[in-house]
């Protein structure tokens, strides 16, 4: 069931300011179709340097559309300095609250606004800080640490609700949990490793078989392919071809996916590398 | 507003006939079927009658092959665990990439516990790769579990052919037929199927009752132990009223089988055809040549499913979506991804699933309301103009 407030429903069913501003002063685009939601925010400043017009186009669920609509209402009539102070919590509050797993919709609004203002000021795009932990949604360890600290997130679900990290294939769950524990000052035990006592030959056979049966057919459908080049201890060298074309990070995701499958099906300590 | 209920693969309404058959077992015949006295004992014979009704719908050779359970999920788990206990030395399990979580999560768990799991992929129409299946069967394989009908797309797997391959190799074959039972005719006595799961609430019986078909001679160890109910194969006092209801629902399904495959199918086909002709950039998912008569999965490109559902909800139209946002997960359905449905469309997939209670007027309502909803959401989508 939809756990939405009346205000969310109302903004979803009657969204304000849909479209694109002509000759905009600011443009902010976040998200992608692969991620499941995306927002394009445009605004124009009036002579008084206040936002005279703001419009949005959103691909996403009801709360994504409502958050975008709310955002435009909130920023119209404000100076950039005032608008800049709008946080994702403000957007959620404006809507009378959002379900926990939809908080990222308001975060998307805030990010689009930030980007649109940076565009107006001619500031360079923010570069990713830290190491990517969740490849499905391009979220880094620094992002997670910051969110845990600043927003007081306590669980994996909190992080997924806020940053989306962990909401896809789930491969990053352990790492996210570890980051949360580390930020809370809990020491992390090294996960237990070594695998079943396969001989090298058995291992190579199983890797080959897994690639053939589990991985290749799916890749080939997307016009890609994978080739086993070598197995050296626990290192599996592969060559990727084509690759799924949905987004730029598909190669990393793919490598991780192959690694995860091989780890579950063959041995826990395998590392996949591109040859 | 009376709902236009097109979510029958999620659950169905209990049929009037079914409810009526059940009611006396709450207040009148409330005895325990295991009791020695006639008051309780007479209930046992009614359970036996329900067992025969289930067996009849399935075309099973004998009612002894039917075991009542608490749901489809339990039937799946009991089948797989029985196979593992029957062949403790075998460590390989085979399933498909498009199973319901009842099987998917179970196999993932067994994978973590050290079993070797092979998941056979499907093609873009959801058809199973039979070559790979054949190659994957080996002497270490304990069980093959392949759903009969897919809950999201309605695609039917060739269970007869799968069962044949398994039988040649002496491997147990289980099918999760939760979506198939009651919608398509089956005759298990002539089919190479060892174990089959079904669930009451998908065929107008109540929620919380299911059954497992265990072909005579198939090794079976109980999953739940205790009393001697169900011939010692599942302990626990029977959910009497629901079992009676399930039996009655099976009888009803037999009576309505022809209607399901003619009137319901024709309604589904018309709905599909009209939507495809009125809405640009949308397509039907699944194997159009082998599909349940009641299911229609359509992907609308460049928009998101939850938004479509919520707008349809305004008009009382109930359907479901393969989109991420409705499930709490952010990835679109694993079934659509396994079929290679691109992200541009997977997020905007809606499943309509009909039943004998639907009417042509309800189809008309969807045909009228949905095109403007899609148009409106597309006008809001940043990807639409570029498309
Ligand atoms: C294919 C399939 N298998 C299993 C189940 C689970 O059945 P139950 O809800 O009775 O546990 C469902 C129900 O959604 C299903 O569609
Ligand atoms: S969900 Fe984080 S990597 Fe897939």
């Amino acid at each position: 069931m939809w756990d939405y407030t009346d205000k969310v429903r109302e903004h979803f069913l009657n969204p304000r300011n849909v479209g694109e501003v002509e000759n905009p002063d600011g443009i902010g685009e976040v998200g992608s179709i692969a991620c499941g939601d995306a927002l394009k925010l445009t605004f124009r400043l009036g002579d008084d340097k206040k936002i005279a017009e703001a419009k949005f186009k959103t691909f996403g669920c009801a709360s994504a559309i409502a958050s975008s609509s709310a955002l435009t209402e909130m920023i119209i009539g404000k100076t950039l300095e005032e608008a800049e102070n709008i946080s994702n919590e403000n957007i959620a509050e404006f809507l009378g609250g959002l379900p926990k797993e939809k908080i990222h919709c308001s975060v998307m609004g805030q990010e689009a606004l930030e980007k649109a203002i940076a565009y107006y000021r001619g500031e360079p795009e923010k570069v990713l800080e830290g190491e990517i932990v969740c490849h499905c949604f391009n979220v880094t360890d620094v992002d997670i640490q910051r969110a845990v600290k600043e927003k007081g997130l306590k669980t994996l679900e909190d992080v997924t609700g806020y940053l989306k990290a962990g909401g896809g294939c789930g491969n990053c769950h352990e790492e996210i949990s570890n980051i949360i524990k580390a930020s809370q000052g809990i020491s992390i035990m090294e996960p237990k490793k070594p695998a079943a006592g396969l001989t090298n030959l058995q291992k190579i056979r199983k890797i080959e078989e897994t690639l053939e049966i589990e991985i290749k057919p799916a890749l080939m459908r997307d016009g890609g392919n994978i080739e086993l080049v070598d197995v050296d201890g626990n290192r599996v060298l592969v060559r990727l071809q084509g690759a799924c074309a949905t987004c730029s990070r598909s190669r990393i995701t793919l490598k991780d996916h192959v690694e995860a499958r091989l780890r579950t099906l063959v041995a826990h300590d395998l590392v996949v590398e591109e040859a | 507003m009376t709902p236009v209920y097109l979510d029958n693969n999620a659950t169905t309404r209990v049929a009037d006939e079914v409810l009526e058959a059940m009611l006396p077992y709450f207040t009148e015949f409330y005895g325990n079927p295991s009791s020695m006295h006639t008051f309780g004992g007479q209930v046992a014979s009614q359970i036996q009658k329900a067992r025969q009704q289930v067996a009849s719908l399935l075309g099973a050779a004998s009612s002894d092959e039917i075991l009542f359970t608490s749901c489809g999920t339990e039937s799946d788990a009991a089948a797989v665990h029985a196979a593992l206990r029957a062949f403790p030395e075998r460590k390989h399990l085979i399933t498909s990439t498009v199973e319901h979580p009842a099987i998917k999560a179970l196999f993932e768990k067994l994978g973590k516990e050290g079993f070797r799991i092979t998941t056979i992929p499907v093609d873009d129409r959801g058809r199973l790769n039979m070559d790979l299946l054949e190659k994957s069967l080996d002497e270490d394989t304990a069980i093959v579990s392949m759903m009969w009908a897919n809950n999201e797309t309605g695609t039917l797997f060739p269970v007869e052919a799968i069962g044949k391959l398994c039988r040649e190799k002496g491997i147990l074959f289980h099918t999760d037929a939760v979506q198939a039972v009651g919608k398509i005719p089956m005759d298990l006595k002539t089919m190479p199927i060892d174990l089959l799961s079904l669930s009451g609430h998908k065929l107008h019986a109540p929620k919380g009752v299911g059954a497992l078909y265990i072909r005579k001679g198939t090794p079976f160890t109980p999953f739940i132990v205790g009393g001697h109910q169900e011939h010692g194969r599942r302990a626990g006092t029977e959910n009497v009223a629901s079992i009676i209801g399930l039996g009655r629902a099976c009888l009803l399904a037999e009576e309505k089988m022809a209607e399901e495959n003619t009137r319901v199918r024709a309604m589904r086909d018309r709905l599909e055809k009209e939507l495809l002709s009125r809405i640009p950039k949308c397509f039907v998912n699944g194997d159009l040549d082998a599909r349940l008569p009641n299911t229609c999965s359509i992907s609308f490109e460049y928009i998101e499913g939850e938004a479509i559902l919520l707008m349809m909800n305004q008009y009382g139209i109930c359907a479901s979506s393969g989109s991420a946002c409705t499930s709490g997960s952010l990835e679109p359905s694993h079934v659509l991804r396994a079929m290679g449905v691109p992200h541009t469309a997977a997020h905007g997939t809606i499943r309509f699933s009909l039943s004998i209670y639907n009417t042509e007027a309800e189809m008309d309502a969807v045909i009228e309301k949905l095109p403007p909803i899609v148009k409106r959401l597309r006008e809001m989508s940043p990807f639409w103009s570029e498309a």
Side-chain angles (χ1 to χ4, degrees), chain A residues 2 4 9 12-15 18 32-36 38 40 57-62 65 102 104 137 160 164 167-169 206 209 213-214 217 221 246 261 265, chain B residues 116-119 121-124 132 136 302-304 306-307 309-311 313-314 325 329-331 337-340 343-344 347 376-377 379-383 385:
Chain A
W2 296 285
Y4 290 142
R9 281 168 181 274
F12 166 64
L13 293 171
N14 308 296
V18 177
S32 80
I33 214 159
C35 294
K40 181 173 185 180
K57 279 206 158 184
T58 292
F59 162 82
C61 58
I65 290 171
K102 300 283 186 168
H104 63 83
F137 296 104
T160 306
K164 293 179 98 168
C169 65
K206 272 182 97 172
E209 188 185 294
I213 295 182
E214 298 271 331
R221 255 198 334 266
T246 49
R261 292 307 288 168
L265 297 169
Chain B
R116 185 161 57 93
I117 312 291
T118 301
T119 42
V122 297
D123 68 7
D124 57 352
L132 278 178
S136 306
Y302 308 109
I303 53 177
E304 202 279 330
E306 191 223 53
L309 285 185
L310 195 49
M311 284 205 173
N313 190 57
Q314 287 296 106
C325 273
S329 147
L330 298 160
E331 276 278 281
R337 289 304 295 146
M339 289 164 57
H343 272 111
T344 47
H347 285 289
R376 186 136 178 256
L377 288 170
E379 281 162 5
M380 272 184 233
S381 167
F383 303 111
S385 51

Side-chain angles (χ1 to χ4, degrees), chain A residues 59, chain B residues 283 285 298-305 321-324 332-333 336-337 340-350:
Chain A
F59 162 82
Chain B
F283 55 84
N285 299 299
I298 305 195
S299 295
F300 302 96
E301 292 190 76
Y302 308 109
I303 53 177
E304 202 279 330
S321 98
S323 95
S333 114
L336 300 174
R337 289 304 295 146
V341 175
H343 272 111
T344 47
H347 285 289
T349 302
I350 300 292

Side-chain angles (χ1 to χ4, degrees), chain B residues 53-107:
Chain B
Q53 288 167 324
V54 177
S56 169
L57 176 65
L58 301 181
S62 152
S63 64
D64 293 343
E65 296 177 320
I66 308 301
L67 173 72
F68 289 112
T69 65
S70 70
C71 60
T73 305
E74 185 196 322
S75 299
D76 285 346
V80 172
H81 282 103
L84 297 184
R85 257 167 275 139
F87 301 102
E89 69 296 346
R90 299 191 184 182
K91 298 292 178 204
H92 180 217
L93 314 172
I94 301 179
T95 187
S96 81
T97 50
V98 295
E99 298 295 315
H100 184 273
I103 286 291
K104 184 173 181 276
L106 175 63
F107 274 58

Side-chain angles (χ1 to χ4, degrees), chain B residues 112-132:
Chain B
K112 287 202 186 103
E113 289 170 9
F115 287 90
R116 185 161 57 93
I117 312 291
T118 301
T119 42
I120 306 293
V122 297
D123 68 7
D124 57 352
R125 301 256 55 124
R127 290 173 298 207
L128 194 69
N129 188 324
M130 293 292 285
D131 285 345
L132 278 178

